[in-house]
């Protein structure tokens, strides 16, 4: 068999480890031929590929980013007409035949999973692997990249404790996550955050200000507020900036904000993410060997398994009120906004 691998959407620690996992298992265990498709789904439209060998993927385990490059290109854009969509379907189908691909591995987040499902619907043999630091892909307990991002965010929170304490300030740290608060929740708990604001849970700035004032009255020298970038703000303002300004206005306490941004997505993957990416990549090769297509590789408990792409399509995994970290966080005195 001949298979292609593409990476789509934002970069993420562990993508290269996944490419390595797929390739090495496909070549060494199943005797497959492997090609890398450049620039995400755009590479399917342009037939932009390179051969991948066991030698060429050696050394990828620890490297960040993606050697194949990525893009936000979607093969079936919402604004495209039916005629344009049908033309793209024909082009992609013809190109896959020209390349002689028996299957394609799509590595990416929610947008990629949606596109992968649509490709499987037009008859292509697709296996996908979930990747995102946001950890919001439905059907898997965890995505690779998340552990690395949480580690980076936690280290930043650790460092902010000392400067906040020295200056008797409130420090607001904004972390990534779009509509999901997983990074804020995990790093906030691990970093000793006093207030954690998530997109999924409503918050009241007056309650937050009252909690901060109570802390200072009790002798606490500083307060750490961890904010997910996707929380609701007035007039669409940036989360960290909005919360910091509101807190300082309400309390009169000097407040500073730090936005971690893309540093959470860069660099070498953590040990956990290297292992998870390798396991998921090798499992994808096994699914292809068994011709079990239309599936997304997933982590369930401590087992690597798979789920139908149809079940994953258009669904998000979000934090809920009854999440154990939220429940236990409240028990130890963390404020989640109300």
């Amino acid at each position: 068999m001949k298979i292609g691998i593409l990476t789509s959407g934002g970069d993420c620690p562990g993508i290269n480890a996944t490419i390595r996992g797929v390739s090495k298992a496909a070549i060494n265990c199943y005797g497959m031929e492997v090609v890398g498709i450049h620039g995400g789904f755009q590479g399917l439209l342009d037939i932009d590929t390179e051969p991948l060998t066991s030698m060429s993927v050696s050394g990828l385990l620890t490297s960040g980013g993606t050697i194949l490059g990525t893009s936000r290109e979607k093969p079936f854009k919402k604004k495209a007409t039916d005629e344009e969509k049908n033309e793209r379907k024909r082009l992609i189908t013809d190109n896959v035949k020209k390349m002689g691909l028996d299957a394609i591995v799509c590595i990416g987040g929610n947008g990629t999973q949606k596109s992968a499902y649509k490709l499987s619907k037009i008859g292509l043999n697709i296996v996908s692997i979930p990747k995102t630091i946001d950890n919001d892909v439905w059907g898997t307990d965890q995505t690779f990249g998340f552990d690395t991002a949480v580690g980076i965010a936690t280290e930043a929170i650790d460092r902010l404790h000392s400067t906040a304490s020295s200056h008797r300030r409130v420090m607001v740290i904004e972390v990534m996550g779009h509509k999901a608060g997983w990074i804020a929740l995990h790093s906030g708990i691990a970093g000793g955050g006093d207030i954690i604001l998530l997109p999924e849970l409503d918050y009241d700035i007056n309650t937050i200000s009252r909690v901060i004032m109570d802390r200072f009255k009790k002798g606490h020298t500083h307060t750490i507020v961890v904010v997910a970038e996707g929380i609701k703000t007035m007039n669409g303002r940036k989360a960290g900036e909005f919360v910091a300004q509101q807190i300082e206005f309400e309390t009169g306490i000097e407040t500073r904000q730090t936005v971690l941004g893309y540093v959470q997505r860069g660099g070498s993957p953590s040990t956990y993410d290297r292992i998870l990416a390798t396991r998921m990549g090798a499992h994808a090769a096994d699914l292809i060997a068994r011709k079990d297509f239309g599936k997304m590789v997933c982590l369930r408990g401590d087992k690597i398994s798979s789920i139908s792409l149809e079940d994953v399509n258009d669904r998000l995994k979000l934090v809920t009120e009854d999440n154990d970290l939220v429940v236990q966080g409240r028990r130890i005195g963390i404020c989640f906004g109300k």
Side-chain angles (χ1 to χ4, degrees), residues 264-327:
Q264 295 160 91
R265 287 193 350 202
S268 182
S270 67
T271 301
Y272 180 87
D273 280 338
R274 295 177 198 183
I275 292 169
L276 180 58
T278 299
R279 294 175 70 196
M280 285 185 160
H283 192 80
D286 182 64
L287 288 174
I288 293 171
R290 292 188 280 114
K291 298 184 178 179
D292 191 4
F293 302 118
K295 297 289 183 66
M296 183 190 82
V297 178
C298 63
L299 176 69
R300 294 289 179 84
D302 62 350
K303 304 292 185 183
I304 299 295
S305 183
S306 63
I307 185 174
S308 169
L309 277 168
E310 184 175 9
D311 292 337
V312 177
N313 187 48
D314 265 347
R315 301 175 79 177
L316 283 176
K317 184 182 72 177
L318 300 173
V319 179
T320 56
E321 287 270 7
D322 61 353
N323 181 278
D324 190 59
L325 275 183
V326 175
V327 172

Side-chain angles (χ1 to χ4, degrees), residues 17-133:
T18 310
I19 295 170
R20 173 182 176 272
V22 176
S23 300
K24 281 188 171 287
I27 295 166
N28 296 330
C29 186
Y30 302 108
M32 298 176 186
E33 183 181 352
V34 183
V35 297
I37 300 167
H38 294 151
F41 292 106
Q42 187 65 47
L44 285 179
L45 298 169
D46 301 336
I47 312 186
D48 185 1
T49 66
E50 67 169 295
L52 296 178
T53 66
S54 188
M55 181 66 72
S56 69
V57 298
S58 291
L60 292 185
L61 187 63
T62 62
S63 63
T66 165
I67 61 165
L68 298 177
T70 186
S71 70
R72 298 288 187 179
E73 178 65 34
K74 293 179 174 62
F76 311 111
K77 297 178 179 179
K78 286 184 179 180
K79 294 182 180 179
T81 64
D82 289 341
E83 183 178 351
E84 289 171 333
K85 290 177 182 177
N86 289 331
E87 177 57 33
R88 281 204 159 195
K89 289 177 184 177
R90 285 192 292 269
L91 177 60
I92 290 173
T93 302
D94 289 345
N95 286 351
V96 169
K97 289 179 180 177
K98 287 178 184 178
M99 290 185 281
L101 298 180
D102 298 299
I104 300 171
V105 177
C106 301
I107 304 171
N110 285 295
T112 300
Q113 304 308 321
K114 187 173 184 177
S115 295
Y117 173 62
K118 290 181 178 179
L119 289 177
S120 71
K121 289 269 287 182
I122 66 173
L124 297 183
N125 296 330
I126 303 294
V127 169
S128 72
I129 303 175
K131 73 95 191 115
T132 171
I133 67 168

Side-chain angles (χ1 to χ4, degrees), residues 206-248:
N206 292 320
T207 299
I208 294 167
S209 299
R210 187 164 56 250
V211 168
I212 292 170
M213 292 300 292
D214 286 345
R215 284 179 51 79
F216 274 85
K217 287 176 183 176
K218 291 176 181 177
H220 294 282
T221 59
H222 66 288
T223 298
I224 299 293
V225 183
V226 182
V227 178
E229 65 179 353
I231 65 167
K232 294 177 183 177
T233 62
M234 292 178 61
N235 302 319
R237 292 171 62 189
K238 297 292 185 181
E241 177 187 45
F242 173 76
V243 171
Q245 289 179 355
Q246 289 295 306
I247 288 172
E248 185 161 326

